[in-house]
Amino acid sequence: MSGVIPTAPEQPADEKDNQIKSPDRRPDAPPDYNSHFVPGPPGPAVPAPAGYAGGLPMGYNSPQQPGTFFSYQPAGGAHPIQYQPGKYHMSNQPVSVTWMPGPPPIPNCPPGLEYLTQLDTIHVLQHFEPLEMITSFETNNGYDIKNNLDQMVYIVNEDTDDFTRNAYRTLRPFVLRVTDCMGREIMTMQRPFRCTCCCFCCPSTRQELEVQCPPGVTIGFVAEHWNLCRAVYSIQNEKKENVMRVRGPCSTYGCGSDSVFEVKSLDGVSNIGSIIRKWNGLLSAMGDADQFEIHFPLDMDVKMKAMIFGACFLIDFMYFERSPRRSSR
């Protein structure tokens, strides 16, 4: 029959799979190959690196050593170049902040003050605000509290409205809020407004700071005492009973040297600790970015440590806070 087209005999299905399929007629299409992969015996198990719940991600070889990056081998047989972590900071990544490890809760210790039980020295670093110097607009103060290992312990932020800050300047009443690494407000410091236009020896004109820990629970006061020659304060408990005294230098405006405020017993014989305003060069002379160093005994009552800590801020506002100069026009 002339109208019938001859066809090849049918082949079994297993023989069809072993043959190479016809290539795609498109010029850019890759050829299609049959898989002749035969699974071999399993290799040695590789321990999963830290941070992975299972094995390694697909496409990765054995893990690198922790804290290192891949090495680049240049041509010519030179030594490999290895980049140290942290030395080359990427501009699109935020700077990491190292916090002091949180201690466990301690009986009869206000929550959040457990950090102070492990410290005998803390550093108070005020934030530098260049916009404040340029615009003469007083902004809220901010402070970083660190230990000797440069680990962050607390963050202190002022909470005062714009009108009060710029109307009363260094005499302004303020509220300072102390937060920990979790963002919890663990301490509040309040300074009421006291008029200084009257006689300086009048009790109503003397500055005072109230310390609350936790917020709403008063643990003590820092009260100013009138003195003709030097700064004198008394640290009081929640009943306003004098516990310690702070005695400042005759001149707190020394240029090129530190200003030391000694923390002494009530009789003035025993030296308990100190609040030192560090000289920081041009930032201390021109800018408003003070640095303080606070020393107290390691085994001191944690509430009294918090009171010495609070006295540092009253001293800063009274003697070292520089308001931006207003324009004379």
Side-chain angles (χ1 to χ4, degrees):
M1 299 177 61
S2 60
V4 178
I5 301 175
T7 58
E10 295 184 359
Q11 299 178 356
D14 55 346
E15 294 182 6
K16 288 184 179 180
D17 295 339
N18 294 333
Q19 291 182 354
I20 300 177
K21 296 181 180 179
S22 60
D24 199 329
R25 296 182 180 272
R26 293 176 297 176
D28 56 345
D32 194 0
Y33 298 97
N34 286 336
S35 175
H36 297 280
F37 172 74
V38 178
V46 179
Y52 288 94
L56 290 173
M58 182 178 297
Y60 283 83
N61 296 324
S62 60
Q64 301 291 321
Q65 294 295 329
T68 61
F69 291 89
F70 294 97
S71 300
Y72 166 69
Q73 179 70 39
H79 295 286
I81 300 175
Q82 190 173 25
Y83 296 98
Q84 299 180 3
K87 185 174 180 61
Y88 303 94
H89 173 69
M90 305 301 292
S91 58
N92 58 346
Q93 296 179 357
V95 179
S96 60
V97 178
T98 304
W99 285 85
M100 177 180 174
I106 301 176
N108 301 325
C109 177
L113 294 187
E114 296 89 355
Y115 296 92
L116 297 182
T117 60
Q118 301 180 357
L119 300 174
D120 59 358
T121 301
I122 54 178
H123 302 268
V124 179
L125 311 175
Q126 184 178 0
H127 299 170
F128 177 62
E129 298 291 344
L131 188 62
E132 183 177 294
M133 300 178 59
I134 298 174
T135 62
S136 299
F137 183 84
E138 186 75 40
T139 59
N140 280 321
N141 287 357
Y143 305 85
D144 291 340
I145 314 303
K146 297 185 176 183
N147 57 13
N148 284 333
L149 300 178
D150 202 35
Q151 296 174 334
M152 192 80 73
V153 182
Y154 301 120
I155 293 179
V156 181
N157 290 307
E158 180 185 359
D159 186 8
T160 310
D161 61 273
D162 295 340
F163 173 78
T164 302
R165 288 196 314 270
N166 290 274
Y168 297 100
R169 299 287 171 159
T170 59
L171 297 176
R172 64 183 182 265
F174 60 76
V175 176
L176 297 178
R177 305 190 185 278
V178 184
T179 56
D180 61 1
C181 62
M182 303 296 293
R184 302 174 300 178
E185 183 177 350
I186 56 99
M187 186 188 307
T188 302
M189 293 175 279
Q190 298 181 359
R191 175 198 187 186
F193 175 74
R194 296 294 174 88
C195 180
T196 59
C197 60
C198 304
C199 179
F200 288 101
C201 60
C202 180
S204 61
T205 64
R206 299 173 188 172
Q207 300 297 318
E208 185 180 75
L209 180 76
E210 179 183 358
V211 180
Q212 300 176 359
C213 185
V217 179
T218 302
I219 63 173
F221 300 85
V222 181
E224 178 195 15
H225 288 271
W226 184 84
N227 191 283
L228 184 62
C229 300
R230 62 179 71 243
V232 178
Y233 300 88
S234 63
I235 295 179
Q236 304 171 342
N237 57 16
E238 66 277 8
K239 300 178 181 180
K240 287 198 171 185
E241 300 172 345
N242 294 337
V243 180
M244 295 176 290
R245 288 189 179 273
V246 178
R247 187 172 179 267
C250 293
S251 176
T252 58
Y253 303 98
C255 180
S257 61
D258 299 341
S259 299
V260 181
F261 293 78
E262 299 176 344
V263 181
K264 293 182 171 292
S265 58
L266 291 178
D267 54 10
V269 176
S270 302
N271 190 9
I272 300 175
S274 61
I275 302 172
I276 305 174
R277 189 257 189 172
K278 308 294 292 185
W279 173 256
N280 196 23
L282 292 178
L283 286 179
S284 298
M286 301 177 59
D288 189 16
D290 297 316
Q291 296 185 9
F292 290 87
E293 191 174 286
I294 304 176
H295 300 273
F296 36 61
L298 182 62
D299 57 350
M300 189 178 189
D301 181 22
V302 68
K303 292 183 179 180
M304 292 298 102
K305 288 184 178 182
M307 294 307 304
I308 298 176
F309 174 63
C312 174
F313 296 96
L314 183 59
I315 292 172
D316 181 35
F317 272 85
M318 290 188 60
Y319 295 101
F320 304 108
E321 176 73 8
R322 289 178 175 84
S323 295
R325 295 183 179 180
R326 298 179 180 178
S327 176
S328 58
R329 296 180 182 179

